[in-house]
Structure formats: C-alpha cells, structure tokens
C-alpha cells in the first residue's frame, strides 16, 4: 500500500483507508475514516484469495455479524463488516493502544497488572465461548488498551478463517511466527479446536507478561509448534521468582497438553483471577453488626446543662454517653450469652431496623426453634452440566423451529428451507443413533450448505441474521458433544 493516496483506497464507498497500523498472517489493519459518520475507525482487511474456500466470504460475514452482536467491555466494538471483491473488511473502534505486544517492549509487567489483564481477557473469552465463538489466535498483538483503561480483545469473527486451510498451512510464511508461539498443541497438530485452545493461548499470554517472552520459542514456526506439543511446561517462577504460587499453578494448568487438563471454562479462570485481584479502593474494616432489636429508640439530644452563672457544662453529656455505651455493651453480651446457652448460632446477616419502636414482649422461656438452614442455590459453575446430547437436540430443535417460522413468513426461500430441514433431519438421525462422529460429519455438511446458501443469496440477509446465532449455538453444542 506504500505510495497509495487516501483517495485511491476506499471500501464500500464509505471508508477511506489511511496509514497501515498493523498486519499479520490473516490480514492488515488500517487507520480509516468513516465518511458517513465523520469519525476515525480501524479497518481490518483480509485478502480472500489467500483463503481457498468457496464459503469463506459467507462464513466471514456470518461470524462478523455474530461478533458485532456481542457487546462486552473487553471485546473491541465492531461497527460494520462486508466483502468487496476479494477483500473482506471489518470496521472497528480505533484503539489508542498500546497493544500488549508493544507494551512488552518495556519488559515484564507488574504482577497486579498481569492478574487484571488476564481477568479481563478471560471475561471476554467467557462471553465469546457462550456464543459459540472460538478466537483461535489469542496473543499479545490481539489485545490492546482502550481509552477507558480496559483491554480489548481484537479479531473475533475473523480468525476462524485460518482453520479452513488447516493449521499447518499457517506456517507458510514467517508472518505467523508470533501466532505459532501461542498455538495450543491440538491446534498445532491440526486437531479439533474448541474454547480450550483459547485458554491455552491465554496461559501463554500470562507467561509472556510475567517473564517477558513466551514459554516456547523455536528457530522456526514448525519447531515452536512441536515444542508446544512435546516439551514439558516450564515453571513460570524460573523466569519470574516473585510470581505467587497460585498464579504459577494457574499458568501451568492453562498450559496443559491435554485439553481436558485445563480449566473447565473461561469462567473458572475469571473466578480464580478475581479472587486474587487487588482491590480498586482501600478496604474498609468490617464491623460486627449489633442486632437491631437491642437498640433503644433514638431520642433527641438533651440541651446542654448550664451552671447558675450560665456557663455551659459538658461533663453531664460525657457521663450520659458513657452510660449509653455500657448499656449497649451489656445488652449485646446478654443476647450473645442467651444464644450460647440455647445452642443457637448467631446470624451473620444484620437485621433491618423498622420505623416502628420495638415492642416489649413477655420473655419466652421455651427453647428457641432452630433456624432452618437455607438451601444454597447452585451457581452455574457448580450446578450439574447439561447432557451434551440434549444440548445438541435443543439446538437442532431451535433451528428447525426458526426455519419453519422464516419460511412461513416468506423471509426464507422454500427451496432453501427444505435443504436446511433435510440437513437438520440427517443430523437428528445421527444424534438418535448415538454416533458422535456421524453427528460431527452431518453438522459440518449442514454448516457448509448453510454458508453456501448465504453466499449464493438463496438465504436472504434477513433470514441469515435470524439464523446465524442459532447456527453458532449448534456448532458450540456439537463441540461439547463430540469427544
């Protein structure tokens, strides 16, 4: 692009491209101007001739729409996307930077910063994985600081294009050396990739931020990928002795060779890093609550007592205050002693005082009834996980229902609807047969047919906008079902 003027490089007759501000194995990033809204943007362009897949353009548009619908404070905002000729483009918010790759030029990061960056990236991955999106290229160059001080993850919705040609083809040029340093073993060997590959890459990023360099680096991209697959995981404390033990253990777990040995999901990583993050403000001292029932009604303060000469005297107020404090203390001790004698466990939840003054009741000499222990509501991380096969069944049912509704409303062409129904029928049959590999094969065929329909126009943009999230849900469910 050197020597090309701004006027000569436009996309969609709306976005004027200026200086190139980044590049990698999957495309180039330009500083651009949105002529319609009059704002600066970042525009990523991808040469589709380098991705020899007939459905690449349709897949790119579908995933870009899903990404644009994901509003998250740690994911870069996507404004627009499209395909013009052989160029796919993605219009995003322009980040002031720096990227973590540029940040690393100053050396390793402080421990607290590593924890916070890791927490934010894991939060972005949790949101993406919930929508069926797998990034596949988490690395320092794809994580940048925004104007609000948070980090944003870039390139969601684009990097899946890399897998269409197989993992090994990514080593064709030296431009992917950085990517090779953050590839999970299963990705490096061309195996099936799911969200756990992103967790491995996050482990590599945390290691890099702590030490100043990635855990594995060979003389070539292929050599580096083989190190990921075969070499033992280095202890981050060897390069950063002040790394807390819990953080070193988390990095080691993220870098497990076997995907099953990594954390159960990005949410678990968020929880681990949140538990150890530095508080944003100085912590306040927690005071033991005094039961509201033992507090006397508030009365207005008495006027100062004066001596005959009219001079104010403060000592009676001091005596009154001391007496009140002692009385409250005695009342508190009485309540605690009564609870201890009766075997009741004091509640740790402060009582809410009401506006009405407490009534005096006759003392109850009977033993207090034990307070029932509430049954805790299981959190998503502890509740039993859904049957993977049922997840696929539900996703198929949701898609079938949507296809029927869109066909009935005239949004989806009848022939395209029949093709989608046939594919979903084959998938449901494979699911009933209990053959995961057949389910995977039928899913691949269905998604390919869907992409082809989007590309040739038989599936309208309105229909694809409604079906895209459901197709993403289906692929995510199948990924959890197929071993």
């Amino acid at each position: 692009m050197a020597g090309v003027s701004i006027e000569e490089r436009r996309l969609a007759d709306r976005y004027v491209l200026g200086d190139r501000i980044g590049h990698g194995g999957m495309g180039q990033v330009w500083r651009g101007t949105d002529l319609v809204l009059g704002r600066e943007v970042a525009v990523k362009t991808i040469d589709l001739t380098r991705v020899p897949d007939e459905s690449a353009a349709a897949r790119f548009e579908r995933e870009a729409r899903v990404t644009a619908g994901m509003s998250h404070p740690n994911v870069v905002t996507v404004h627009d996307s499209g395909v013009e000729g052989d160029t796919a483009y993605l219009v995003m918010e322009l980040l002031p930077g720096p990227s973590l790759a540029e940040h690393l030029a100053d050396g390793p990061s402080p421990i607290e910063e590593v924890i916070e960056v890791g927490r934010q990236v894991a939060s972005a991955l949790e949101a993406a994985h919930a929508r069926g999106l797998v990034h596949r290229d988490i690395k320092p160059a794809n994580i940048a600081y925004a104007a609000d001080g948070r980090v944003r993850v870039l390139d969601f919705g684009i990097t899946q294009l890399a897998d269409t040609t197989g993992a090994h083809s990514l080593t064709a040029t030296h431009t992917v050396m950085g990517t090779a340093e953050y590839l999970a073993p299963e990705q490096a060997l061309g195996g099936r990739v799911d969200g756990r590959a992103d967790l491995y890459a996050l482990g590599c990023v945390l290691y890099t931020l702590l030490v100043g360099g990635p855990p594995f680096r060979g003389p070539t991209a292929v050599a580096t990928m083989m190190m990921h697959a075969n070499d033992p995981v280095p202890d981050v404390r060897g390069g950063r002795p002040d790394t807390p033990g819990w953080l070193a253990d988390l990095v080691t777990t993220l870098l497990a060779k076997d995907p099953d040995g990594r954390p159960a999901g990005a949410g678990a990583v968020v929880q681990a890093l949140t538990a150890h993050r530095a508080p944003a403000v100085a912590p306040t001292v927690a005071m033991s609550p005094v039961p509201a029932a033992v507090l006397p009604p508030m009365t207005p303060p008495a006027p100062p007592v004066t001596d005959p000469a009219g001079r104010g005297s403060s000592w009676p107020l001091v005596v009154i205050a001391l007496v009140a404090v002692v009385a409250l203390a005695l009342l508190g001790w009485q309540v605690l002693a009564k609870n201890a004698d009766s075997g009741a466990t004091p509640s740790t939840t402060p009582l809410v005082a009401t506006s009405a003054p407490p009534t005096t009741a006759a003392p109850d000499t009977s033993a207090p009834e034990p307070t029932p222990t509430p049954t805790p509501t299981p959190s998503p991380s502890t509740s039993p996980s859904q049957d993977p096969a049922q997840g696929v069944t539900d996703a198929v049912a949701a898609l079938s229902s949507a296809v029927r509704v869109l066909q009935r409303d005239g949004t989806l062409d009848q022939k395209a609807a029949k093709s989608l129904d046939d594919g979903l029928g084959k998938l449901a049959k494979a699911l009933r047969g209990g053959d995961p590999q057949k389910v995977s094969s039928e899913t691949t065929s269905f998604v390919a047919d869907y992409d082809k329909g989007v590309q040739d126009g038989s599936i309208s943009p309105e229909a694809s906008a409604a079906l895209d999230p459901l197709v993403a849900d289906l692929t995510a469910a199948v990924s959890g079902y197929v071993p």
Side-chain angles (χ1 to χ4, degrees):
M1 291 299 299
V4 177
S5 66
I6 293 179
E7 290 76 18
E8 293 175 321
R9 181 63 172 173
R10 293 190 180 191
L11 288 172
D13 199 30
R14 172 175 178 175
Y15 304 107
V16 178
L17 306 188
D19 298 333
R20 189 176 71 176
I21 56 179
H23 66 93
M26 283 305 300
Q28 304 180 82
V29 182
W30 311 85
R31 183 184 300 274
T33 301
D34 183 343
L35 297 177
V36 174
L37 298 179
R39 64 182 174 187
E40 284 195 311
V41 292
V43 182
K44 180 150 191 174
T45 60
I46 299 174
D47 183 0
L48 293 176
T49 62
R50 300 184 59 187
V51 186
D53 184 345
E54 293 181 357
S55 63
R59 183 184 297 107
F60 166 79
E61 289 186 295
R62 172 165 58 85
E63 292 173 357
R65 283 196 298 271
V66 174
T67 304
M70 183 173 63
S71 177
H72 191 278
N74 299 120
V75 177
V76 67
T77 301
V78 175
H79 301 309
D80 192 12
S81 66
V83 177
E84 187 171 277
D86 291 328
T87 300
Y89 63 89
L90 194 69
V91 183
M92 306 168 288
E93 63 175 314
L94 181 64
L95 300 178
S99 69
L100 291 190
E102 295 167 323
H103 191 57
L104 281 165
D106 297 329
S109 302
I111 299 291
E112 294 77 10
E113 184 178 352
V114 175
I115 294 172
E116 183 58 21
V117 168
R119 185 191 68 82
Q120 293 184 37
V121 174
S123 179
L125 292 176
E126 181 183 22
H129 294 169
R131 297 179 67 88
L133 283 172
V134 180
H135 193 286
R136 288 172 166 81
D137 198 19
I138 293 293
K139 59 184 178 182
N142 277 338
I143 305 168
Y145 283 94
D148 59 9
R150 296 188 180 99
V151 295
R152 302 275 204 276
V153 179
L154 315 176
D155 276 6
F156 274 114
I158 294 179
T159 52
Q160 293 223 32
L161 291 174
D163 269 13
T164 61
T165 56
H168 294 293
S169 66
L170 294 178
T171 64
T173 68
H174 69 281
T175 58
V176 296
M177 175 63 77
T179 301
E181 292 167 344
Y182 301 90
L183 282 179
E186 64 272 22
Q187 189 174 358
L189 297 176
R192 186 176 64 87
V193 173
D194 56 25
R196 294 172 295 181
D198 286 344
L199 297 185
Y200 182 94
L202 175 58
C204 293
V205 170
L206 294 179
Y207 187 103
T208 301
L209 293 175
L210 289 167
V211 176
F216 301 109
R217 175 178 284 161
T220 65
V222 173
T224 300
M225 291 192 294
M226 291 304 100
M227 293 173 70
H228 282 293
N230 302 314
D231 287 13
V233 178
D235 189 340
V236 70
R237 285 168 292 192
R240 183 72 176 270
D242 64 332
T243 303
W246 70 267
L247 182 55
D249 292 342
L250 175 62
V251 172
T252 299
T253 304
L254 288 168
L255 294 178
K257 305 294 182 187
D258 185 351
D260 291 336
R262 298 169 202 156
V269 181
V270 173
Q271 292 178 6
L273 293 169
T274 300
H276 294 88
R277 66 187 294 207
V281 296
T284 57
V285 179
M287 302 297 292
S288 299
V290 178
V294 305
L295 296 178
M298 296 298 293
T299 57
V305 178
T306 59
D307 62 14
R311 294 186 300 270
S313 176
S314 62
W315 69 267
L317 295 178
V318 174
V319 172
I320 292 172
L322 290 175
V323 170
V325 170
V326 172
L328 288 175
L330 289 175
L331 286 170
W333 278 111
Q334 289 174 0
V335 172
L336 293 176
K338 181 178 179 181
N339 285 338
D341 292 340
S342 63
T345 302
S347 172
T348 59
T349 304
L351 301 177
V352 178
T354 62
S355 58
T359 59
T360 303
D364 185 5
T365 57
S366 62
E369 296 183 2
T371 302
T373 303
T375 303
T377 301
S379 63
S381 60
T382 59
S383 59
S385 58
Q386 183 189 40
D387 177 16
Q390 185 60 46
V392 180
T393 300
D394 293 344
V396 170
L399 261 171
S400 297
S401 177
V403 167
R404 287 194 298 271
V405 170
L406 292 171
Q407 180 185 4
R408 184 186 63 211
D409 294 345
T411 307
L412 183 62
D413 176 76
Q414 184 174 0
K415 183 178 179 181
K418 184 179 185 307
S419 176
L420 294 177
D421 269 334
D422 289 345
L424 291 171
K426 294 177 182 177
L427 178 53
K429 181 179 179 180
L431 188 61
R432 290 193 297 271
D435 185 350
Q437 297 306 320
K438 183 66 173 176
V439 169
S440 177
S441 174
E442 293 295 351
T443 301
T444 300
S445 297
F446 173 81
V447 174
D449 289 343
Y450 177 79
D451 288 339
K452 185 176 182 296
V454 173
Q455 186 178 31
D456 62 23
S458 60
I459 298 178
S460 67
E462 294 80 5
S464 63
L467 294 174
D468 283 349
L470 299 177
V471 174
D473 290 343
L474 172 65
T475 56
V478 172
S479 295
Y481 171 70
V482 179

